[in-house]
Amino acid sequence: SQSMSSELSKFVEETADKLFHYEVNTAQQVVQGFMMGHEGKASELVRLWNLELGSVGERILTAAAPEHREWNHVPVYIKGDASILYKYINANLLAVVTEDLRDNSSALNLYAIDAVTGHIVHQSHIPGGAQPVHLVVCDNWVIMHYRNPKKTRFEIVVMEFFQAKADEGPWDILFAGKAVNQTLSAHHLETPVP
């Protein structure tokens, strides 16, 4: 037990600068990102970024991170004309829905955020959207279900993200070669095409 705890503390010390944490604070209306440890202090959280939504007149309703990470996803989407779109897969994608309080009419904002860097990958404004809001993130897509009181119905918004990459044919997928064990950093991901 003691050797296991020493191994665990050693692991935390060695990987502290690679461990990240985010917080969706509905009391203060802020989304924050942290890095674990700084200068050998693995026990403290260092704030890297924050998105103060309350200061721009928005109230956080819900948030969601990717589900079903154990699935082996298909890395591409094949269109009807047999061309290929490469999926934008980011395990650190965080979706946040806010209610826009600046307007008298109801409106929602849907943010897709990289939880490591704090970059807003995409933002959608949905006029007429209202609570209740349900949100799901999986693979390369985000689905939001909400109520539209003006049209007296429920509606769904679906966002899919793809890499800004040309179709080079299926050969890299079929015969992966060197690309199989390639690791991507959240700090070097390009902006996706929504």
Side-chain angles (χ1 to χ4, degrees):
S1 173
Q2 190 174 11
S3 66
M4 186 178 222
S5 64
S6 65
E7 285 178 26
L8 182 60
S9 59
K10 182 181 176 186
F11 172 77
V12 170
E13 290 291 334
E14 289 173 355
T15 60
D17 60 341
K18 296 177 183 76
L19 298 175
F20 296 88
H21 172 71
Y22 69 86
E23 176 184 80
V24 179
N25 188 327
T26 55
Q28 296 178 351
Q29 304 305 319
V30 64
V31 183
Q32 303 174 88
F34 302 89
M35 178 177 73
M36 290 188 69
H38 183 64
E39 297 175 359
K41 298 178 185 173
S43 60
E44 68 179 50
L45 289 175
V46 178
R47 187 168 63 193
L48 295 177
W49 59 269
N50 66 324
L51 184 60
E52 295 183 16
L53 296 164
S55 65
V56 292
E58 297 180 30
R59 183 167 60 99
I60 297 171
L61 298 179
T62 188
E67 295 183 22
H68 307 299
R69 292 184 191 182
E70 72 278 4
W71 288 357
N72 288 327
H73 71 273
V74 178
V76 296
Y77 172 75
I78 302 172
K79 297 182 352 181
D81 62 358
S83 61
I84 294 174
L85 292 174
Y86 294 86
K87 292 181 180 180
Y88 175 83
I89 304 296
N90 184 347
N92 303 307
L93 194 66
L94 171 67
V96 177
V97 178
T98 65
E99 184 177 36
D100 200 332
L101 303 174
R102 294 169 289 191
D103 231 347
N104 286 342
S105 61
S106 60
L108 300 174
N109 289 313
L110 172 57
Y111 296 93
I113 304 166
D114 186 309
V116 171
T117 63
H119 294 141
I120 296 177
V121 173
H122 185 68
Q123 177 185 357
S124 289
H125 180 74
I126 297 97
Q131 296 184 60
V133 176
H134 302 283
L135 191 61
V136 176
V137 180
C138 186
D139 209 19
N140 69 320
W141 46 262
V142 176
I143 295 179
M144 180 177 74
H145 180 268
Y146 61 94
R147 188 171 66 87
N148 188 329
K150 191 172 184 180
K151 295 181 180 177
T152 61
R153 67 183 183 193
F154 287 93
E155 297 177 342
I156 294 176
V157 167
V158 179
M159 289 191 303
E160 284 189 281
F161 298 110
F162 296 96
Q163 294 179 30
K165 178 178 175 179
D167 177 8
E168 298 166 356
W171 306 114
D172 287 340
I173 298 161
L174 297 173
F175 306 104
K178 294 182 282 184
V180 173
N181 295 322
Q182 187 179 16
T183 303
L184 295 175
S185 167
H187 298 283
H188 298 105
L189 289 175
E190 293 183 12
T191 304
V193 176

